Amino acid sequence: MDRPPTPLYLPHTLSFPLTITRLLASTPRVRKTSPLFSFSYLVSRPDGSREREVKVWESPVEGEVVKWGVKEGDVLKDAR
């Protein structure tokens, strides 16, 4: 019997808002720690300037990507 999909949510510890820059999972099947997508966000520097940083979010579990809840260019204001 197939199990229902497990939705994944971003951790509240990420710097929001963030922008989805690229969907990286090239096959539906992913391993734990496989890169799922890259995202960017603004970081405030001690001198008051702000700089955009890019990071990759890795899958916290092994499984299959059934459906994306985001697309490239989406701006997320908080964890979903």
Side-chain angles (χ1 to χ4, degrees):
M1 179 181 225
D2 288 331
R3 290 186 271 173
T6 301
L8 298 180
Y9 298 94
L10 297 174
H12 295 279
T13 56
L14 292 179
S15 295
F16 291 94
L18 58 83
T19 303
I20 304 298
T21 55
R22 187 163 179 214
L23 302 177
L24 299 172
S26 58
T27 62
R29 188 87 183 136
V30 295
R31 294 177 184 242
K32 186 174 181 177
T33 73
S34 292
L36 291 179
F37 60 85
S38 60
F39 62 95
S40 67
Y41 59 98
L42 289 175
V43 176
S44 296
R45 301 290 179 209
D47 66 1
S49 66
R50 292 168 49 125
E51 187 174 324
R52 187 157 295 278
E53 289 200 11
V54 176
K55 300 257 180 169
V56 172
W57 194 60
E58 298 174 342
S59 178
V61 295
E62 183 173 330
E64 186 175 327
V65 177
V66 177
K67 174 182 157 188
W68 287 100
V70 296
K71 63 184 181 307
E72 292 179 12
D74 280 357
V75 176
L76 307 181
K77 296 182 177 156
D78 54 29
R80 296 193 202 197

